[in-house]
Amino acid sequence: EHIIKRIQAVSEIDRIVLATPSEKSEEPLEKIAARMGVECVSGPEEDVLERFILAGNLCQAEHIVRVCGDNPLVDPTLMRSLVLQHSKENADYTFCPDPIPLGTGSEVAKLSALKQIAKKTSQSAYREHVTTYFHDHPDAFHLERVPTPPYLKGKNFRLTVDTEKDFQLIDQLYQKFYSPSQSPLNLEEILNFLTANPKLASHNADVVQKNWREDLT
């Protein structure tokens, strides 16, 4: 619900689709989406690329903004900058190349480019991680890069939810900052708070992020 609200803050995005695995365990998420007027598609659990294509076909979309479902502090301001640059240049893929807090970023891809990748490879790392093929084959596509917003620069906080420690940190941040009248949360305010409270910020600093490239070996 928090992620959907953050996406809804970007008026340039026309529709939101929740792309879930075809598993019974996803029903609670689908109910939230239905309550919020968000459409759903389901597909292979490991083949996330296929789910993105299914979502794009449902909307008859030309372009797709990728937002991961474990990032409740994804940044709407950066998302808007990515969408505007991508649309202006009619790019195949638009991203922020600079380091930013894990869990705050998003990406934009042309649906036809994603379909092209799906035809070219069945390799699991490229099917599961969706946009990694663009990074490994930059000369085959029109890529656009958006610079890091100043408030994200130099911040190496971990703001995704993959582990119990991640959840505990995000839970504390929402307990402190969330109110129905202040939704979605102001990411810049949260980053300033974490900078001023390094002990809290380090709560999940020892979590090792999975390297998708291991799937290519």
Side-chain angles (χ1 to χ4, degrees):
E1 182 174 345
H2 292 303
I3 295 171
I4 290 170
K5 286 181 178 179
R6 298 184 78 79
I7 300 169
Q8 288 173 336
V10 182
S11 60
E12 289 81 3
I13 295 177
D14 301 309
R15 289 165 72 177
I16 301 173
V17 179
L18 178 64
T20 67
S22 301
E23 302 290 341
K24 192 173 180 62
S25 60
E26 305 302 310
E27 288 182 2
L29 298 179
E30 293 166 1
K31 289 179 180 178
I32 291 173
R35 174 168 54 80
M36 299 183 73
V38 169
E39 297 163 286
C40 290
V41 295
S42 60
E45 182 170 9
E46 302 297 332
D47 193 346
V48 185
L49 176 59
E50 177 62 21
R51 280 193 266 145
F52 271 67
I53 292 171
L54 290 171
N57 288 340
L58 175 69
C59 296
Q60 297 183 316
E62 293 183 41
H63 307 276
I64 292 179
V65 181
R66 180 192 182 202
V67 178
C68 295
D70 50 7
N71 294 342
L73 288 174
V74 63
D75 185 19
T77 302
L78 175 58
M79 197 184 305
R80 175 176 287 110
S81 297
L82 291 163
V83 169
L84 291 174
Q85 180 71 11
H86 184 88
S87 299
K88 176 184 175 184
E89 300 298 334
N90 192 29
D92 292 318
Y93 174 57
T94 303
F95 66 106
C96 177
D98 306 315
I100 60 175
L102 186 65
T104 62
S106 51
E107 308 163 287
V108 191
K110 187 179 289 185
L111 180 59
S112 60
L114 294 177
K115 290 181 176 180
Q116 183 180 343
I117 292 171
K119 290 179 180 179
K120 286 179 177 292
T121 181
S122 59
Q123 204 161 353
S124 61
Y126 293 133
R127 308 290 303 203
E128 181 179 354
H129 300 283
V130 185
T131 58
T132 54
Y133 195 91
F134 291 117
H135 293 277
D136 282 357
H137 304 84
D139 295 337
F141 301 96
H142 174 186
L143 306 189
E144 285 291 324
R145 295 162 177 83
V146 171
T148 304
Y151 56 89
L152 294 179
K153 280 186 178 179
K155 306 293 194 301
N156 61 352
F157 306 124
R158 181 181 173 88
L159 298 177
T160 190
V161 181
D162 288 334
T163 70
E164 182 66 25
K165 280 188 173 181
D166 294 335
F167 177 81
Q168 291 166 356
L169 175 62
I170 296 294
D171 185 49
Q172 290 187 63
L173 293 173
Y174 266 85
Q175 286 189 42
K176 178 171 180 60
F177 288 99
Y178 177 76
S179 69
S181 62
Q182 197 178 8
S183 180
L185 271 62
N186 184 308
L187 179 58
E188 187 171 359
E189 184 180 3
I190 288 173
L191 294 174
N192 290 337
F193 174 75
L194 289 172
T195 300
N197 294 273
K199 184 177 180 180
L200 175 62
S202 66
H203 181 76
N204 61 348
D206 62 340
V207 175
V208 178
Q209 183 68 12
K210 179 182 176 183
N211 182 2
W212 62 267
R213 289 196 176 277
E214 293 174 357
D215 295 335
L216 292 174
T217 57

